[in-house]
Amino acid sequence: MSTVTVTINRLGAQGHGIANGEDGPVYVPYALPGETLAIARNGDHGTVMSTSNPSPDRVTPPCRHFGPDSDACGGCSLQHLADAPYHAFKRNLVVEALKSKGLTPEVGELVIAHPGERRRVVFSARRTEKELLLGFNRAETNHIVSIVECPIASPGIVARLEAIRAVGKALATGSDTFRIGVLETLAGLDLAADGLKPLDDKQRRLVTETVLALKNIARVSANGEIVIELQKPLVDFGGVKVSPPPGAFTQATKPAEDAMAELVLSHVGKAKRIIDLFAGSGTFSLRLARIAKVHAVEGDEKSVKALDHAARNTQGLKPVSVEKRDLFRRPMMVSELKNYDAVVFDPPRAGAEVQMKELVRSGVKTVVAVSCNPLTLARDLRILVDGGYQIKAVTPIDQFLWSPHVEAVVLLQK
């Protein structure tokens, strides 16, 4: 390790400042373009020691847990960047990812995120002799920073941090690290712990007693198995109430979900038959069923059942059919896609490369892509464009405030 002085040229895709070293780029967390810094350099990584000229874009972080200190949380990476350059950075992640695949469509303005919107967070937890550590890992380490505030999380989650700790303490066995996913629902908090050893009867009783003594905890599960459910957790997908299974995927914020859904509904236009791929528990399917017949395809059986139950018990929807199917191993084939006017797909971060190769051979006119990973999105869009589709609209959406993650919704037509 050596101490050197560098000037930051740009922000990297992970939100780190990047300086041009003699032997290649040096990545410096918490640094901003234009700043000259003394850093402790270890390979291509630098730790800020001092700053001689702070950037005019540098602002005071809103959270006490943010920063380069040894006890700082790694949940956010860009709280020190002013709004305008931060929004430009997020939009540019999509622009540059598309450009890397030779795609240069017009990219719309970023749909911005605000503090306090996150209804879903995943905490790291570990029991010590004194307490239960509950928070986020320090960047690039396994060290848990136990938090007392979180400006990205909803007030309903922040206000219940001690209750979440109490449940986590009841769940914990030994000193192993585990995770607690927290979803704020209409019925209360849904806590889904994973990475735990199987609970014995004594622990189950302790968890049950703990939850009964608290307020606003709807359900607690461990490794996908429900331990106690006082009320079915409910989320609202465009007026349709759904009870997702423990730990199931839901969009992290309601405002971002609503923005994406509005775009999806607008982009499918007057389509009468829509297939929704990687449908989850019905985020888009159930909204689309207000205007068209929908076939929802999802690999997780419990999510499929939740979607189907909601569709069957909601009036005013057009027919919704469901199918449990691993689209990575068994994509929808050309013969199956021919009956649809529009395809909507929202895959995991890995994207949907195999499915795209079938889709380009189909006659489906309208495709709406939703993605949380600009790089795999760009790869998938390249396949579609090479297969005869044109990109008509790209909208970046910030759902993960002060992080290097960005969503996008894209309309393509053949």
Side-chain angles (χ1 to χ4, degrees), residues 273-343:
R273 296 167 299 175
I274 302 170
I275 185 167
D276 182 14
L277 306 178
F278 307 96
S281 298
T283 306
F284 302 124
S285 298
L286 295 168
R287 289 174 165 97
L288 290 167
R290 298 282 188 190
I291 62 169
K293 183 178 180 180
V294 177
H295 184 55
V297 186
E298 165 59 39
D300 179 66
E301 183 175 7
K302 291 181 179 179
S303 294
V304 170
K305 289 181 177 179
L307 194 167
D308 185 49
H309 182 269
R312 291 177 182 275
N313 289 275
T314 303
Q315 294 183 344
L317 301 184
K318 296 185 183 297
V320 177
S321 55
V322 298
E323 180 180 354
K324 178 188 175 297
R325 182 162 173 166
D326 184 343
L327 291 166
F328 292 106
R329 296 185 177 184
R330 198 162 66 90
M332 301 299 295
M333 307 302 286
V334 174
S335 59
E336 298 171 291
L337 292 168
K338 67 181 180 181
N339 296 321
Y340 298 100
D341 307 315
V343 171

Side-chain angles (χ1 to χ4, degrees), residues 114-386:
H114 301 91
E117 290 182 343
R118 284 284 293 275
R119 66 177 177 187
R120 176 174 62 83
V121 294
V122 180
F123 294 117
S124 292
R126 182 169 64 83
R127 189 173 189 169
T128 69
E129 291 183 1
K130 294 182 178 180
E131 61 178 338
L132 182 94
L133 300 176
L134 180 80
F136 301 102
N137 287 6
R138 168 146 176 79
E140 300 175 8
T141 75
N142 292 321
H143 172 66
I144 298 174
V145 176
S146 203
I147 64 168
V148 296
E149 67 175 336
C150 183
I152 65 167
S154 73
I157 292 177
V158 175
R160 304 296 291 158
L161 284 175
E162 288 309 309
I164 298 167
R165 276 194 175 88
V167 175
K169 189 173 181 180
L171 286 164
T173 55
S175 59
D176 291 340
T177 297
F178 61 101
R179 293 167 300 280
I180 303 178
V182 182
L183 175 65
E184 185 178 31
T185 79
L186 299 174
L189 299 186
D190 183 17
L191 308 186
D194 67 90
L196 288 165
K197 294 177 181 177
L199 304 186
D200 58 26
D201 290 341
K202 182 179 179 181
Q203 275 185 286
R204 289 176 178 278
R205 285 195 298 272
L206 179 58
V207 172
T208 298
E209 292 168 359
T210 301
V211 172
L212 290 173
L214 298 169
K215 295 180 180 179
N216 202 31
I217 305 292
R219 179 173 68 187
V220 175
S221 62
N223 301 325
E225 182 183 352
I226 296 173
V227 180
I228 178 172
E229 183 177 81
L230 296 180
Q231 296 187 70
K232 283 198 173 297
L234 292 174
V235 293
D236 184 338
F237 292 155
V240 181
K241 302 297 193 298
V242 181
S243 181
F249 174 80
T250 54
Q251 299 293 344
T253 80
K254 188 74 164 59
E257 176 185 284
D258 289 344
M260 288 187 282
E262 184 177 342
L263 287 164
V264 169
L265 284 164
S266 172
H267 289 340
V268 297
K270 296 181 179 180
K272 299 300 182 185
R273 296 167 299 175
I274 302 170
I275 185 167
D276 182 14
L277 306 178
F278 307 96
S281 298
T283 306
F284 302 124
S285 298
L286 295 168
R287 289 174 165 97
L288 290 167
R290 298 282 188 190
I291 62 169
K293 183 178 180 180
V294 177
H295 184 55
V297 186
E298 165 59 39
D300 179 66
E301 183 175 7
K302 291 181 179 179
S303 294
V304 170
K305 289 181 177 179
L307 194 167
D308 185 49
H309 182 269
R312 291 177 182 275
N313 289 275
T314 303
Q315 294 183 344
L317 301 184
K318 296 185 183 297
V320 177
S321 55
V322 298
E323 180 180 354
K324 178 188 175 297
R325 182 162 173 166
D326 184 343
L327 291 166
F328 292 106
R329 296 185 177 184
R330 198 162 66 90
M332 301 299 295
M333 307 302 286
V334 174
S335 59
E336 298 171 291
L337 292 168
K338 67 181 180 181
N339 296 321
Y340 298 100
D341 307 315
V343 171
V344 176
F345 70 96
D346 181 14
R349 291 187 62 79
E353 184 176 12
V354 177
Q355 182 62 72
M356 294 304 99
K357 293 176 179 178
E358 288 298 319
L359 185 54
V360 296
R361 297 171 53 221
S362 76
V364 179
K365 180 181 179 182
T366 299
V367 173
V368 183
V370 183
S371 173
C372 61
N373 185 341
L375 295 176
T376 55
L377 172 66
R379 179 202 64 203
D380 292 349
L381 295 183
R382 181 75 260 176
I383 295 171
L384 294 176
V385 170
D386 289 345

